[in-house]
Amino acid sequence: DIQMTQSPSSLSASVGDRVTITCRASEGIHNDVAWFQQKPGKAPKSLIYDVSSMQSGVPPRFSGSGSGTDFTLTITSLQPEDFATYYCQQYQSYPVTFGPGTKVDIQ
Amino acid sequence: EEQLVESGGGLVQPGGSLRLSCAGSGFTLSDHYMDWVRLAPGRGLEWVARSRSKSYSYTTEYAASVKGRFTISRDESKTSVYLQMNSLKTEDTAVYYCVRLGPSGNYENWGQGTLVTVSS
C-alpha cells in the first residue's frame, strides 16, 4: 500500500496568510494525487486532482504542485471560509489512500 | 443538478448488518466508477469499496479492512449504488460517503454522508 503522510498535522493562521501543506508518499506517484477540504458536519469537497488540476468552481487561491513523492497544496491568501481540515489522496494504485489530514484554524 | 444522496445509516449492534443506498441523479450512473469512503471519529478518511462502470462490467475492489464483510453493488434501473455491510464491528462506526469518480479516477462529486454507529 502507498502510505501518505502530511505536514504539519495542524497550523494556526490569519486571514490573508499564505498557507502551504505538504504531502509525502511512501513511493513515487506519477500524477494521481488529489486534495480535499472538509469542514465539521459537511461532506469533503474536492479541490485539486491530478496533482495540479483545479476542480470546477474552486477559487484560484488554491493550487497544487509536486512530483514523485512530494506534493504541496498552497492557499495564497487565506479566507475565513478556508478554515477546515485538508486531506491529500493518492489514486494511482489500490487501495486508494488518504493522508491523515491537516487542520487549519484561526490564529 | 448532479446529486448523490445516501441513506440507510443507523445504530446497529456488533455482528449485525446494514445496507446503505446511494441514489444518483442528474447524470448517468452507469458511466461512472463509484466509491464508498468513510470518515471515522478521530481517524480521517478511509476508502472502503469501488464499483467500476458498466464498461468494466461493474467489477469491484475492497479495502482489506472490509473485504469479505462488505459488498458494493448497483441497481441500474434505480440508478443507485449500495453497500451491504455484514459482521459489523465497532471500528466500522463512521460517516459513509458515496463518491462519483471522473475520467481521471479523481473524486468529482460527494454525497452528504450517512452515519453508521456500531455499538451494543
Side-chain angles (χ1 to χ4, degrees):
Chain A
D1 299 5
I2 298 178
Q3 307 301 321
M4 305 293 279
T5 56
Q6 286 182 235
S7 61
S9 57
S10 65
L11 66 91
S12 295
S14 300
V15 172
D17 283 354
R18 179 186 181 94
V19 168
T20 299
I21 300 169
T22 298
C23 183
R24 176 162 288 176
S26 61
E27 57 187 82
I29 299 175
H30 175 61
N31 200 47
D32 298 335
V33 172
W35 291 92
F36 304 95
Q37 176 193 68
Q38 179 154 42
K39 298 178 181 179
K42 301 283 190 179
K45 177 183 178 182
S46 299
L47 300 175
I48 303 287
Y49 67 98
D50 291 353
V51 176
S52 59
S53 297
M54 277 211 308
Q55 205 73 40
S56 176
V58 173
R61 63 181 180 272
F62 291 92
S63 65
S65 63
S67 64
T69 59
D70 295 319
F71 301 91
T72 299
L73 174 71
T74 300
I75 311 171
T76 52
S77 177
L78 200 66
Q79 298 301 300
E81 60 268 29
D82 300 337
F83 292 97
T85 298
Y86 294 85
Y87 295 92
C88 62
Q89 178 209 39
Q90 70 79 23
Y91 48 99
Q92 173 172 280
S93 64
Y94 292 106
V96 171
T97 48
F98 294 86
T102 296
K103 186 176 182 181
V104 177
D105 61 23
I106 302 172
Q107 190 167 46
Chain B
E1 180 190 2
E2 299 174 346
Q3 201 171 11
L4 295 167
V5 179
E6 300 99 332
S7 60
L11 174 64
V12 61
Q13 292 187 337
S17 298
L18 212 54
R19 188 197 197 204
L20 306 184
S21 299
C22 169
S25 60
F27 65 99
T28 304
L29 194 78
S30 59
D31 289 346
H32 293 269
Y33 285 32
M34 298 294 296
D35 277 8
W36 285 95
V37 174
R38 66 187 181 185
L39 179 66
R43 278 172 47 191
L45 293 166
E46 180 186 13
W47 172 76
V48 173
R50 173 165 294 175
S51 170
R52 294 185 179 86
S53 62
K54 185 175 182 178
S55 299
Y56 291 89
S57 304
Y58 299 132
T59 52
T60 59
E61 302 285 347
Y62 296 94
S65 59
V66 307
K67 196 168 186 177
R69 300 188 298 124
F70 290 12
T71 302
I72 187 171
S73 62
R74 300 198 191 213
D75 183 333
E76 202 169 345
S77 63
K78 293 184 179 178
T79 63
S80 292
V81 180
Y82 304 99
L83 186 68
Q84 177 66 44
M85 304 185 295
N86 298 332
S87 303
L88 281 161
K89 306 175 182 179
T90 55
E91 53 263 40
D92 295 319
T93 294
V95 177
Y96 285 73
Y97 296 99
C98 171
V99 190
R100 187 189 82 188
L101 276 67
S104 297
N106 58 301
Y107 283 8
E108 281 187 329
N109 199 355
W110 297 68
Q112 86 287 353
T114 188
L115 176 62
V116 172
T117 303
V118 185
S119 175
S120 54

